[in-house]
Amino acid sequence: MEDDVKMKCGLEIHVQVDTESKLFCKCPTNYKDVPPNTNVCPVCMGLPGAKPMPPNKKAVDVAIMVAKMLGCEIVINKDIYFQRKHYDYPDLPSGYQRTSVPIGVNGNFMGIGITEVHLEEDPGQYKPDLGLVDYNRSGTPLIEIVTEPDIKSPEEAREFLKQLMRLFRYIGCLRGEGSMRADVNISINYKGVQGNRVEVKNINSIKGVYKVLKYELIRQKNIIRRGGTVKRETRAFLESQMITKSMREKETAEDYRYIPDPDIQPIVIDEKWVKEVEEKMPETPLEKEKRFIREYGIREDDAKILVSDLELADAFEKVVAGLGKEKENINLAVTWIRNELKRVLQYNKIDFFESNIKVEHLIELIKLIKDKVISQKIGKKVIELLVEYRGEKSPKQIIDELGLTVITDEDTLEKACDEAIKNNPKAVEDYLNGNKPALNFLMGQVMKLTRGRADPKKVVEILKKKLDNQ
Ligand SMILES: [Zn+2]
């Protein structure tokens, strides 16, 4: 970014909690798999007189866990009540959304301050093109994470969200990027002139957040450069055009007329409850890294890279378990997962879980290499194809299809060696005159003739035998 532009950005991130039932009623939350308006009851349709149940315990547990993992202090021994946040939209039949006061506060994740973590209910879905409001989603628990305006670039926002989604996968019980909606606040200072804060609402992907910030940065800079004022307002993201558009002047908290929901008893989280959640909490990335070094005796930088991708770290452990925990197997797993597979994943810009590669296939591949059925070189090729086929073909299938097995057949190897010797009299002469590296050259020729499939050990043996007998 140019030095004369300073950006300040804060995020509000909503992600669905993966509970069986909704936040205030027993309706199931699998809203995507069923016909419209089938997972509904008077509570989540906001019918007059319907009374909500106490908040879903699992949703509260997950909120505590997320807050803890983000380094927040949990708000204990205090009434945590749900407020009614009023606004009018067809997907919100009661005219208000229930949203809790903070459950965790003052956290920090990747150097970005976390203001608070709280629970909310998801509204329904208004589908204007179908003339339909579907209340299946209404009442699904959401976690909202509010950050401080500590983010300084679109790239930093993107990395923060990526790591956050990774953390969610560590935690489990959350629906991740597919259910994410983010609101971003952005203000800039251009050559000393401060613009107002602009909010862009309802962005549903990490890429979208990145695009919005890029777009707003330029838009706001141009306004200030022309001597104008950046208005304080709320904007919408038009994903199809990758631009933002003014919706309304920013509403204030007063516009929402927050009141505590008189139908819901406040919850009180005590130390015992926090302890209970802590006991169920998964390893943090840092804990996992330390355990990998201790348990597998691998180097710190190897552990760091493996742990940076939860599913890759899990795969590593399963592969080692499948091969047997001897040092040789651990080294092979590090070489082929942390080095080779990671390299190919990075080249394709995907994470391990997106590659659909199966752990059994990795075990199979490493065994093939270990048993010298294929060479290291072919191993690298197979890894590339495993990624390319997205887990649909096993290493054995790939090798068979491409005819990539190591040639150990003596006759074939002898023939290739004879040819290499015949075609390269100079190298043969050099070798016989005591120039040992000339053997490597001949070996390279044999490899060429067999397209990399010859068993190198055997080739050396055969070449030596033939040359020494000349
Ligand atoms: Zn319901």
Side-chain angles (χ1 to χ4, degrees):
M1 204 182 310
E2 294 168 55
D3 284 343
D4 45 10
V5 186
K6 287 194 177 64
M7 177 188 131
K8 259 180 147 184
C9 160
L11 299 170
E12 292 174 19
I13 304 130
H14 307 78
V15 174
Q16 285 175 353
V17 186
D18 198 6
T19 53
E20 293 278 311
S21 57
K22 295 182 182 179
L23 193 50
F24 301 111
C25 63
K26 285 276 182 214
C27 296
T29 60
N30 60 334
Y31 63 93
K32 283 183 183 159
D33 313 330
V34 293
N37 296 310
T38 47
N39 286 349
V40 290
C41 73
V43 172
C44 53
M45 293 217 293
L47 297 185
K51 294 288 180 198
M53 293 172 51
N56 185 319
K57 163 99 169 28
K58 185 181 169 189
V60 182
D61 283 357
V62 174
I64 294 173
M65 210 179 271
V66 168
K68 274 261 146 195
M69 295 287 265
L70 294 174
C72 291
E73 302 155 24
I74 305 299
V75 178
I76 53 168
N77 301 329
K78 262 174 115 175
D79 279 357
I80 293 176
Y81 49 88
F82 281 81
Q83 306 178 95
R84 292 178 173 182
K85 179 185 181 182
H86 295 84
Y87 64 95
D88 286 314
Y89 201 68
D91 63 5
L92 198 65
S94 54
Y96 55 82
Q97 184 185 18
R98 294 187 183 93
T99 158
S100 84
V101 297
I103 290 175
V105 292
N106 294 331
N108 191 295
F109 183 62
M110 294 180 64
I112 309 296
I114 304 294
T115 317
E116 61 166 277
V117 173
H118 67 253
L119 270 176
E120 282 187 4
E121 61 177 346
D122 218 350
Q125 289 169 295
Y126 174 38
K127 299 169 179 170
D129 48 334
L130 300 174
L132 178 81
V133 183
D134 177 6
Y135 293 114
N136 281 343
R137 197 179 72 181
S138 171
T140 301
L142 290 179
I143 279 183
E144 178 170 349
I145 295 161
V146 182
T147 80
E148 292 292 306
D150 292 342
I151 297 167
K152 294 179 194 69
S153 71
E155 289 74 22
E156 195 180 3
R158 181 170 61 187
E159 191 52 29
F160 175 84
L161 287 170
K162 269 190 154 180
Q163 294 298 335
L164 188 66
M165 295 307 140
R166 181 162 287 162
L167 187 77
F168 288 169
R169 293 203 296 278
Y170 261 85
I171 295 172
C173 315
L174 290 148
R175 289 184 179 164
E177 196 188 351
S179 77
M180 184 192 86
R181 266 158 293 148
D183 303 339
V184 311
N185 290 303
I186 165 177
S187 64
I188 68 159
N189 186 303
Y190 180 57
K191 292 188 172 165
V193 182
Q194 181 63 47
N196 278 309
R197 205 178 70 169
V198 170
E199 186 179 29
V200 185
K201 278 193 165 300
N202 273 324
I203 311 163
N204 58 17
S205 68
I206 296 175
K207 190 177 148 211
V209 169
Y210 176 75
K211 296 275 180 196
V212 162
L213 290 176
K214 280 265 193 200
Y215 179 84
E216 279 298 308
L217 202 60
I218 294 167
R219 188 186 70 86
Q220 295 181 21
K221 192 178 90 177
N222 286 341
I223 292 173
I224 296 176
R225 186 159 51 198
R226 289 195 292 260
T229 309
V230 178
K231 268 193 300 188
R232 181 169 173 147
E233 63 178 350
T234 300
R235 299 176 71 86
F237 175 47
L238 306 182
E239 200 172 358
S240 52
Q241 298 164 51
M242 287 287 173
I243 59 164
T244 68
K245 191 173 153 261
S246 184
M247 278 165 76
R248 55 180 179 265
E249 307 275 306
K250 172 82 180 112
E251 62 272 272
T252 61
E254 273 162 46
D255 294 332
Y256 287 128
R257 294 173 291 124
Y258 282 104
I259 57 156
D261 193 315
D263 292 337
I264 302 167
Q265 280 284 315
I267 48 174
V268 178
I269 300 169
D270 56 12
E271 276 165 32
K272 193 171 144 261
W273 191 345
V274 176
K275 259 225 161 68
E276 217 182 277
V277 172
E278 277 174 338
E279 275 160 19
K280 284 187 281 187
M281 238 157 70
E283 242 178 349
T284 65
L286 190 65
E287 284 164 356
K288 197 185 278 291
E289 187 185 308
K290 286 185 179 151
R291 182 171 62 77
F292 272 28
I293 297 169
R294 197 174 61 234
E295 200 174 322
Y296 300 106
I298 63 175
R299 294 200 333 241
E300 191 185 332
D301 58 330
D302 289 337
K304 263 201 172 60
I305 294 208
L306 285 168
V307 165
S308 70
D309 183 339
L310 171 65
E311 291 80 8
L312 193 74
D314 282 351
F316 170 79
E317 293 204 85
K318 285 181 186 148
V319 166
V320 171
L323 292 169
K325 228 172 157 182
E326 290 83 33
K327 190 75 202 155
E328 185 198 1
N329 292 332
I330 292 171
N331 289 343
L332 280 166
V334 168
T335 304
W336 290 95
I337 296 174
R338 176 254 186 266
N339 297 341
E340 294 306 326
L341 178 58
K342 188 74 192 171
R343 172 181 61 82
V344 179
L345 292 173
Q346 270 171 349
Y347 178 78
N348 285 282
K349 296 195 177 72
I350 54 173
D351 281 332
F352 178 69
F353 84 103
E354 294 166 298
S355 77
N356 287 325
I357 290 181
K358 298 179 181 70
V359 168
E360 310 90 83
H361 290 170
L362 290 174
I363 294 173
E364 187 181 299
L365 174 68
I366 293 175
K367 278 187 176 157
L368 289 169
I369 294 164
K370 196 179 165 190
D371 298 340
K372 301 212 160 47
V373 178
I374 55 170
S375 64
Q376 305 254 340
K377 201 175 152 200
I378 301 293
K380 290 182 187 183
K381 177 82 190 150
V382 173
I383 285 247
E384 285 166 16
L385 291 169
L386 279 179
V387 175
E388 198 177 311
Y389 289 129
R390 293 287 192 271
E392 276 172 19
K393 284 185 184 171
S394 74
K396 278 186 181 145
Q397 279 173 307
I398 291 172
I399 292 160
D400 283 348
E401 273 173 28
L402 300 179
L404 294 175
T405 44
V406 168
I407 302 172
T408 51
D409 172 56
E410 300 266 345
D411 281 352
T412 315
L413 291 180
E414 294 243 358
K415 267 185 207 145
C417 288
D418 284 339
E419 203 175 332
I421 288 170
K422 198 181 88 198
N423 294 342
N424 299 284
K426 175 80 172 69
V428 173
E429 200 187 316
D430 287 350
Y431 175 78
L432 292 175
N433 288 333
N435 183 1
K436 298 293 170 201
L439 190 70
N440 292 335
F441 175 80
L442 289 168
M443 158 116 169
Q445 297 306 304
V446 175
M447 282 308 195
K448 240 186 205 168
L449 289 165
T450 56
R451 286 187 295 143
R453 294 171 51 214
D455 177 353
K457 242 175 141 181
K458 282 213 165 137
V459 171
V460 171
E461 274 169 31
I462 295 171
L463 278 174
K464 272 190 173 161
K465 188 182 75 196
K466 286 187 183 291
L467 292 169
D468 292 343
N469 290 335
Q470 274 202 348

